[in-house]
Coordinates of all heavy atoms in Angstrom, one line a residue:
G387 N 4.2 20.0 0.5 CA 4.3 20.0 -0.8 C 4.0 18.6 -1.5 O 4.5 18.3 -2.6
L388 N 3.2 17.8 -0.7 CA 2.8 16.6 -1.3 C 1.3 16.6 -1.7 O 0.6 17.2 -0.9 CB 3.1 15.4 -0.2 CG 4.5 14.8 -0.1 CD1 4.6 14.0 1.0 CD2 4.9 14.3 -1.3
N389 N 1.0 15.8 -2.6 CA -0.4 15.7 -3.1 C -1.0 14.3 -3.2 O -1.1 13.8 -4.4 CB -0.8 16.5 -4.2 CG -2.2 16.6 -4.6 OD1 -3.0 16.3 -3.9 ND2 -2.6 17.1 -5.8
P390 N -0.9 13.5 -2.2 CA -1.2 12.1 -2.4 C -2.8 12.0 -2.7 O -3.5 12.8 -2.2 CB -1.0 11.4 -1.0 CG -1.1 12.5 0.0 CD -0.6 13.8 -0.7
S391 N -3.1 11.1 -3.5 CA -4.6 10.9 -3.9 C -5.0 9.5 -4.3 O -4.4 8.9 -5.1 CB -4.7 11.8 -5.3 OG -6.1 11.5 -5.8
Q392 N -6.0 9.1 -3.7 CA -6.6 7.7 -4.0 C -7.2 7.6 -5.3 O -7.2 6.7 -6.1 CB -7.6 7.4 -3.0 CG -7.3 7.2 -1.5 CD -8.5 6.9 -0.6 OE1 -9.3 6.1 -0.9 NE2 -8.6 7.9 0.4
W393 N -7.6 8.9 -5.8 CA -8.5 9.0 -7.0 C -7.5 9.0 -8.1 O -7.8 8.5 -9.3 CB -9.3 10.3 -7.0 CG -10.4 10.1 -5.9 CD1 -11.6 9.6 -6.0 CD2 -10.3 10.4 -4.5 NE1 -12.2 9.6 -4.9 CE2 -11.5 10.0 -3.8 CE3 -9.3 10.9 -3.7 CZ2 -11.7 10.1 -2.6 CZ3 -9.4 11.0 -2.4 CH2 -10.6 10.6 -1.8
N394 N -6.4 9.7 -8.1 CA -5.4 9.8 -9.2 C -4.4 8.5 -9.0 O -3.4 8.4 -9.9 CB -4.6 11.0 -9.2 CG -5.5 12.1 -9.7 OD1 -6.4 12.0 -10.4 ND2 -5.1 13.4 -9.2
R395 N -4.5 7.8 -7.9 CA -3.5 6.9 -7.6 C -2.1 7.3 -7.5 O -1.2 6.6 -8.0 CB -3.8 5.6 -8.5 CG -5.1 4.9 -8.3 CD -5.5 3.9 -9.3 NE -6.8 3.5 -9.2 CZ -8.0 4.1 -9.6 NH1 -7.8 5.2 -10.4 NH2 -9.0 3.8 -9.4
V396 N -2.0 8.4 -6.9 CA -0.6 8.9 -6.6 C -0.4 8.7 -5.0 O -1.2 9.3 -4.3 CB -0.4 10.4 -7.0 CG1 0.9 10.9 -6.4 CG2 -0.5 10.5 -8.5
L397 N 0.5 7.8 -4.7 CA 0.6 7.4 -3.3 C -0.8 7.2 -2.5 O -1.1 7.9 -1.5 CB 1.5 8.5 -2.6 CG 2.7 8.8 -3.1 CD1 3.4 10.0 -2.4 CD2 3.7 7.6 -2.9
P398 N -1.7 6.4 -3.1 CA -3.1 6.4 -2.6 C -3.1 5.8 -1.1 O -4.1 6.3 -0.5 CB -3.7 5.4 -3.6 CG -2.5 4.6 -4.2 CD -1.4 5.5 -4.3
A399 N -2.2 4.9 -0.9 CA -2.2 4.4 0.6 C -1.9 5.4 1.5 O -2.4 5.4 2.7 CB -1.3 3.1 0.6

Side-chain angles (χ1 to χ4, degrees):
L388 281 175
N389 185 14
S391 169
Q392 298 174 58
W393 295 267
N394 290 332
R395 293 175 187 81
V396 174
L397 304 171

